[in-house]
Amino acid sequence: MNSTYYDFGTAAERWARAQQFFDAREYVTAAGILEGLVAEVPEQVSTRLLLARAYYHSARLQKAETELRAVLERDPVEQYARLMLGRTLERQGRDGDAGPHLRMAAALAGEFAQTRTDQQADPLGRV
């Protein structure tokens, strides 16, 4: 496919087409369409988030990281972007960098880790 296909139609039509390709697990094609949309409307968080997911699933982890950081720059409490960034960093073998993002994502989702004394009292986590 050439880039003309990626740019064909209105923004809404391209968004729908990108989602269809993403749903069909055609992540590279979805990313090609989404890249143009992000260039047109860089402040649109949902478009960047779907682009980051397409990059992640097509193993373009550096690009996924860049998009996720751009999302978090615009919306620092975007829980899913935090989670995805943590997973992306883990997949790159950067567990130390991933930890803070994964903990923040868990906190934003309302999942608070047990305290160390609770874990020591009952290692199976029973109350």
Side-chain angles (χ1 to χ4, degrees):
M1 259 178 265
N2 62 33
S3 64
T4 316
Y5 177 74
Y6 294 157
D7 300 330
F8 180 76
T10 66
E13 291 168 339
R14 286 180 284 147
W15 170 255
R17 194 165 53 248
Q19 287 184 310
Q20 288 175 334
F21 278 109
F22 186 89
D23 292 342
R25 298 183 180 191
E26 294 288 337
Y27 302 117
V28 173
T29 304
I33 297 166
L34 292 164
E35 287 166 351
L37 288 171
V38 166
E40 286 177 33
V41 189
E43 68 278 357
Q44 186 71 36
V45 170
S46 59
T47 307
R48 281 189 182 274
L49 201 50
L50 188 58
L51 177 57
R53 291 176 64 200
Y55 284 149
Y56 179 87
H57 288 299
S58 60
R60 295 186 281 174
L61 301 177
Q62 197 63 41
K63 287 186 171 197
E65 179 183 348
T66 299
E67 290 304 321
L68 291 166
R69 290 189 187 280
V71 167
L72 291 171
E73 228 175 75
R74 288 165 174 74
D75 187 358
V77 294
E78 169 51 61
Q79 186 268 336
Y80 189 68
R82 287 271 173 212
L83 176 64
M84 272 194 66
L85 180 56
R87 296 288 182 234
T88 300
L89 294 169
E90 278 182 332
R91 199 166 164 197
Q92 293 178 65
R94 296 166 53 194
D95 293 350
D97 293 334
H101 296 288
L102 294 173
R103 286 190 297 276
M104 175 87 68
L108 290 169
E111 302 165 6
F112 298 101
Q114 288 181 322
T115 62
R116 184 167 167 79
T117 46
D118 290 342
Q119 291 171 351
Q120 288 173 343
D122 188 354
L124 298 178
R126 295 175 293 207
V127 179

